[in-house]
Every structure is written in structure tokens, then in C-alpha cells.
Amino acid sequence: MNVLLIGGGGRESAIAWKISQSKLLRTLYVSPGNGGTSDFGINVPSLSIIEAIDFVKKNKVDLTIVGPEAPLTEGIVDEFRIRNLTIFGPTKSASKIEGSKIWAKDLFKKYSIPCAKSDQFSDLKSSLEFFINNDPSEWVIKVNGIASGKGVFMPENLEEAREALTEIFVENRFGKSGEKILIEERLHGVEVSVFTLVNNNKVSNCIAACDYKRIKDGDRGPNTGGMGAISPPSFWNSDMESKIKSNIIMPTVDAMINEGCPFTGVLFAGLIITKKGIKVLEFNCRFGDPETQVFIPRIKSDLLEILLKYSTSTLEENTHIELETIHSTGVVLASKGYPEKFALNKEIDGLSESNQEFGSIVFQAGTKSSNLSKIYTDGGRVLICVGLGKSYEESRELAYKKVESIKFDGMYYRKDIGENRDI
Ligand code: AMP
Ligand code: GLY
């Protein structure tokens, strides 16, 4: 098979790495890829939806896999399907589960899917009034549309609530995504990211991981795209998996069918385990980053074969993903200053052929290569070092050992990945 993988982050590096091992693969193209994906396939420049269709036809691509949410919410899957081109991912209308938090919340309410209670607002005056009457530290502000993980605010007091609402409604920082907001009850507990492959009413088993979103150790500082992850979490077991499947995943999958927008692709449930049960914080319509980088090395099955099955319109039975009984820890190496301003073009030392030695893998993310085969930083999250072991301790040790062998100017990482994710 010829495959086109869309995206260029650490998530796509992990998918490319795994797919390159498939017996079904002839040629893998990655658009735009990064400094590392050229080890597994051919990097091609960024493509618009129409350019991607042309590319797929010219290069006889049998399957297109979409990494990021933006092309999905723009309708790439619909455009491919009307041309009978096979693609892994949800349609534009099914992507609303991630693309509109208000739409998703209405769905949860209508179908009794457990989530935080909330109200929607579309102006400064009424939302500010809400916080004059309610303690801001018990609520969360969320912009409706896609905001690269930056659209959630947790004000501690009225002043912080006012600042967030001003950014949204006066400064228009989020454009269309911030025209409406949700103010949602603040929940407390351990978060878990749960991934399930879905094709209409057919679903795979779930894969779980925990993400470390804040920039600083001890889960402090601003939110980032994710500074590390572990998989599986220590508390994950088959009982929890079947509860999540029957109380959250299946009702959502059925609800989407009922609403006329059946889901295909990967359904990513961001859940929180509270004293009052497991609740949905959000759904995404794509693989998580950096969760994917830690769970993909645990997959025994041929991922390409499975993604192809979940892309076709006639999947007849649930197909499961076979997993190794190993633990995985991933530590993101970021550029100093991320998630705000950071420098680019710093040469990376310590990346060599041994990046996939037994027990650890380095996936590249914000990197680019030069003609001299040197690798330079080209983003906020630069690399992820993944350790694989028989225990958490072993996987952590291997991940941090790998971290020590890599250097670039301004390299920053959390020292506590693997800690504080018990229930
Ligand atoms: P989301 O983009 O909705 O996943 O939100 C990003 C992060 O904000 C989550 O991973 C949580 O850490 C936090 N968050 C979102 N909603 C809530 C909530 N209702 N209560 C507490 N924390 C939340
Ligand atoms: N790591 C969280 C996400 O991919 O949205």
C-alpha cells in the first residue's frame, strides 16, 4: 500500500515509525513531516485539501491518515469520500465533537453522558455577571472552538475571570473560536486520555494514557500541548475499561449515529476520575500528542492494517488492537520559553542511529534537518524520549537515561513525568 500521513509533530513521528514496520506498506509519504519522519518515509510539503487529493491520485495512495484536527474540522474526509478515496478520520460533522464544545456539551446532556454542568455565554456583560454571583475558583471558562489547547481558563478570583473574558470577548484573541464560551463546573480528580477506534457502531478496545499538560514540575504553570505521558496508567484495568466503554464511549458513538453524524476514526475521550464517578472533560477527534508517542510502541498489531479496517465503510466486526504488557513513559524535550516565545534553529546533539535502541525510542517533533544531515530545533516541543520497561520504574529510568544523552541550547523538560497519576 501507498500511504499519505498528514501532520508533522511527534504524534505523526510515532505513527510513521509504526506504519513503516507494516508488511502492507510500499511507500509512506508524510506531509509536511519533520526532521525525523524522513527516516520512515518521504517528506512532502504541506498540502491543502485540494492539493492532497491531487497528490493521492498522482501517487496512487491507497490510504490517507490525518494526524491533526484542523483538516478534519475543515472537512478533508468528506472531500476524499465523495471522490471514493480511502481516508482515516471523521467527517466534518462528526468532528464537531472536538470542534464545538457547545455542540458536544448539548450532545452529552441530551444522551445523559456524564460531564460537568455548564452554561453558555456569548458576551462580556452576562459572563462577567455570572462570576460576580459565583465563586470563579469553582468554575472553568472554555472557548467554543478549536484553540490549540489554549482555550481553557481556570480563574482563581474575579480579577482573573475578568482578564480571561476580556481576552476572549474584547481582544478577540480566539477569533471565531471565541465567539461563544462555556462556563463549566470545575471538577477535581486524576485525568486519563482514552483512545478507541470507531467505525459507525463498531469500536475497538480502549487504550489509556495520562498526559502532563502543565509546563512545570508538580503540574504548575501554564498549560502546554503536553510535556510528557505514561501508558498505561497504574490504575487502569479491564473493569474500568468496560465501565468507560458502556457509560461513555458507546453512548457517545450511538448518540452520534442518532444525530446523523456517525463517527469514524479515533475517538479520544479526555476523562476525569472524580469522587462522584468518571466524567467527560472533552472529546477529541484525533490521536493525542504526546499520548500517541507512548502508547504506539505498546501496540503489537499491524497498525496500518487496523487503521485501514476502520477507514472502510463496511467494517463488519469490532477489531481489537493487541497490546504488549509493557509500560511506557515519554518525556518531552522543549525549547526554553515554550509555550510562549522560544528560539529556533538550535543544533541538536546526541541524536544518532541508536535512537531506537532496546528499551527506548526518540521521536522527533519540532525539528528539521539540514543538507549535512544535522538536525535543528524547529518548534516548541522538539523531541520526546520514550522508555519502555517491564515496570513503571524501569520505563521512567530508560526515558530519563535517554534524555541525558541529548543536548541542545535551551533544552527544557519536566523531571517528574510518571509521578502523581494515582487515584
Ligand atoms: P480541555 O481542552 O477541555 O481538555 O481542557 C484542557 C484542560 O483543562 C483539561 O485537561 C483539564 O486539565 C482542564 N479542564 C477542562 N475542563 C475542566 C473542568 N470542568 N474541571 C477541571 N479542569 C478542567
Ligand atoms: N495531549 C492532549 C491532546 O492531544 O489534546
Side-chain angles (χ1 to χ4, degrees):
M1 284 173 65
N2 296 327
V3 176
L4 170 66
L5 171 63
I6 294 177
R11 166 183 53 204
E12 287 76 24
S13 287
I15 297 171
W17 171 79
K18 183 69 182 168
I19 282 179
S20 69
Q21 297 161 24
S22 169
K23 288 199 196 79
L24 298 178
L25 184 72
R26 191 184 306 128
T27 308
L28 172 65
Y29 300 98
V30 192
S31 165
N34 59 42
T37 48
S38 47
D39 292 345
F40 316 121
I42 300 169
N43 282 356
V44 296
S46 252
L47 302 167
S48 67
I49 295 179
I50 292 301
E51 288 166 343
I53 290 166
D54 276 349
F55 183 89
V56 159
K57 286 183 178 165
K58 269 195 200 119
N59 294 283
K60 302 198 165 23
V61 169
D62 302 287
L63 173 67
T64 299
I65 300 164
V66 187
E69 62 277 18
L72 297 169
T73 55
E74 284 159 21
I76 190 169
V77 170
D78 310 61
E79 294 297 331
F80 270 57
R81 285 207 190 144
I82 52 175
R83 292 168 176 84
N84 274 328
L85 300 169
T86 310
I87 185 162
F88 177 80
T91 58
K92 184 173 182 168
S93 59
S95 309
K96 276 192 297 203
I97 192 97
E98 170 163 4
S100 167
K101 294 202 190 260
I102 291 176
W103 186 86
K105 189 65 102 176
D106 288 344
L107 188 86
F108 304 156
K109 283 184 190 157
K110 183 168 170 188
Y111 293 91
S112 306
I113 295 158
C115 64
K117 65 178 180 199
S118 66
D119 250 322
Q120 52 167 294
F121 296 85
S122 49
D123 65 90
L124 180 67
K125 188 168 175 281
S126 57
S127 50
L128 200 55
E129 216 165 83
F130 178 91
F131 284 117
I132 292 168
N133 299 320
N134 294 278
D135 178 356
S137 71
E138 290 174 8
W139 299 86
V140 175
I141 302 170
K142 289 185 176 183
V143 302
N144 180 40
I146 283 178
S148 310
K150 301 217 165 107
V152 175
F153 296 83
M154 301 214 211
E156 285 314 317
N157 49 49
L158 185 59
E159 210 32 59
E160 286 182 18
R162 190 194 304 273
E163 269 169 37
L165 295 170
T166 306
E167 269 186 46
I168 298 168
F169 289 124
V170 182
E171 292 162 15
N172 276 328
R173 193 179 132 196
F174 298 93
K176 250 188 125 34
S177 287
E179 280 175 3
K180 291 185 199 159
I181 61 165
L182 277 178
I183 297 181
E184 184 174 290
E185 171 195 17
R186 196 172 303 188
L187 301 175
H188 301 278
V190 171
E191 288 178 44
V192 58
S193 305
V194 174
F195 300 86
T196 314
L197 301 181
V198 179
N199 180 316
N200 295 297
N201 64 343
K202 302 292 183 295
V203 296
S204 73
N205 49 326
C206 305
I207 306 183
C210 286
D211 183 12
Y212 291 73
K213 280 207 175 76
R214 305 293 194 93
I215 189 76
K216 290 190 193 163
D217 287 4
D219 297 317
R220 291 175 303 113
N223 263 340
T224 69
M227 292 298 293
I230 53 165
S231 179
S234 57
F235 51 78
W236 187 250
N237 57 41
S238 53
D239 185 43
M240 184 177 277
E241 177 176 353
S242 55
K243 274 199 191 117
I244 288 173
K245 225 169 164 175
S246 54
N247 298 339
I248 294 171
I249 307 294
M250 286 320 297
T252 305
V253 165
D254 291 339
M256 293 190 76
I257 294 171
N258 212 31
E259 292 297 314
C261 49
F263 194 89
T264 50
V266 58
L267 192 57
F268 164 1
L271 308 177
I272 186 161
I273 305 168
T274 74
K275 290 198 177 105
K276 291 187 187 157
I278 302 178
K279 299 191 180 185
V280 177
L281 286 181
E282 63 161 355
F283 271 106
N284 295 311
C285 62
R286 51 167 176 86
F287 286 111
D289 188 337
E291 291 95 326
T292 304
Q293 293 91 305
V294 293
F295 74 67
I296 280 208
R298 296 180 49 226
I299 296 179
K300 234 196 266 182
S301 314
D302 184 329
L303 184 67
L304 181 53
E305 189 182 346
I306 294 195
L307 296 185
L308 178 65
K309 281 190 180 166
Y310 278 91
S311 305
T312 57
S313 53
T314 52
L315 181 63
E316 269 157 23
E317 56 188 36
N318 298 336
T319 298
H320 282 236
I321 310 160
E322 254 190 279
L323 297 168
E324 306 266 10
T325 48
I326 52 171
H327 297 277
S328 179
T329 301
V331 180
V332 169
L333 306 185
S335 304
K336 192 174 143 201
Y338 173 79
E340 305 298 331
K341 272 201 160 158
F342 50 82
L344 298 172
N345 290 317
K346 303 291 177 192
E347 188 176 337
I348 304 170
D349 286 328
L351 281 176
S352 64
E353 334 48 89
S354 68
N355 288 325
Q356 288 174 52
E357 67 203 15
F358 180 77
S360 62
I361 312 173
V362 181
F363 291 123
Q364 296 189 29
T367 65
K368 62 180 179 193
S369 58
S370 72
N371 296 338
L372 302 166
S373 316
K374 289 186 173 166
I375 303 286
Y376 293 87
T377 68
D378 193 35
R381 290 188 294 169
V382 178
L383 304 166
I384 181 166
C385 296
V386 178
L388 303 163
K390 287 185 209 75
S391 62
Y392 296 110
E393 292 72 22
E394 193 187 5
S395 74
R396 273 196 70 186
E397 229 168 80
L398 287 164
Y400 277 106
K401 197 167 143 223
K402 197 75 215 173
V403 169
E404 278 166 27
S405 70
I406 294 171
K407 283 190 186 62
F408 58 87
D409 200 17
M411 178 171 117
Y412 170 82
Y413 58 93
R414 274 180 65 161
K415 315 279 188 308
D416 66 342
I417 305 301
E419 293 172 20
N420 293 323
R421 290 296 181 274
D422 290 326
I423 53 172

